[in-house]
């Protein structure tokens, strides 16, 4: 993914720290679903299409912003949807998916994978 393909909200600049770039890329991926792969668990799948759509919409909105656990990378959180606790996590893999990314701040070396599952599936 080239920098020019990122939305204006996810533009990376040279004066950003590596942590700021990772946080920006993770937030962009969580909100837009672009720049990686979204995996949902069987438990989420069995909730039905309408609920999955609601979960994904909330992850991309203010509820998703509020769900982020206090960490620097914005890569994990909990969300409550229809009385269910939803866990989400973003992992950064290399382009071959055989190891973690050598540089999560570099979209050319990283594919993000967001896993969404019920808290009971942890």
């Amino acid at each position: 993914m080239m920098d020019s393909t990122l939305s204006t909200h996810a533009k990376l600049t040279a004066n950003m720290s590596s942590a700021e770039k990772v946080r920006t890329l993770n937030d962009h991926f969580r909100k837009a679903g672009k720049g990686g792969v979204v995996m949902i668990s069987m438990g989420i799948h069995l909730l039905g299409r309408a609920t999955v759509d609601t979960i994904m919409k909330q992850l991309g909105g203010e509820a998703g912003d509020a769900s982020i656990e206090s960490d620097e990378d914005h890569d994990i959180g909990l969300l409550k949807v229809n009385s269910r606790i939803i866990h989400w996590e973003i992992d950064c893999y290399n382009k071959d998916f055989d190891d973690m990314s050598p540089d999560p701040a570099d979209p050319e070396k990283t594919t993000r994978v967001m896993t969404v599952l019920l808290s009971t599936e942890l």
Side-chain angles (χ1 to χ4, degrees), residues 105-118:
D106 184 351
E108 295 295 323
K109 297 178 181 175
T110 306
T111 299
R112 284 172 163 67
V113 176
M114 181 167 59
T115 306
V116 182
L117 59 145
L118 297 169

Side-chain angles (χ1 to χ4, degrees), residues 6 16 24 45 61-62 77 106:
L6 297 174
M16 285 179 147
T24 298
H45 172 75
E62 289 180 23
D106 184 351

Side-chain angles (χ1 to χ4, degrees), residues 40-96:
I40 63 170
S41 69
M42 183 57 73
I44 297 290
H45 172 75
L46 291 173
L47 295 174
R49 175 74 184 236
T51 302
V52 172
D53 288 347
T54 298
I55 291 167
M56 298 312 294
K57 187 174 186 173
Q58 287 193 21
L59 272 173
E62 289 180 23
D65 292 342
S67 76
I68 297 169
E69 292 187 4
S70 59
D71 77 337
E72 217 174 77
D73 292 338
H74 289 195
D75 62 350
I76 191 168
L78 297 173
L79 184 68
K80 190 171 185 177
V81 177
N82 298 339
S83 302
R84 290 183 174 89
I85 304 297
I86 309 300
H87 174 83
W88 63 270
E89 182 171 347
I90 297 172
D91 293 301
C92 297
Y93 291 94
N94 66 18
K95 291 296 185 175
D96 294 326

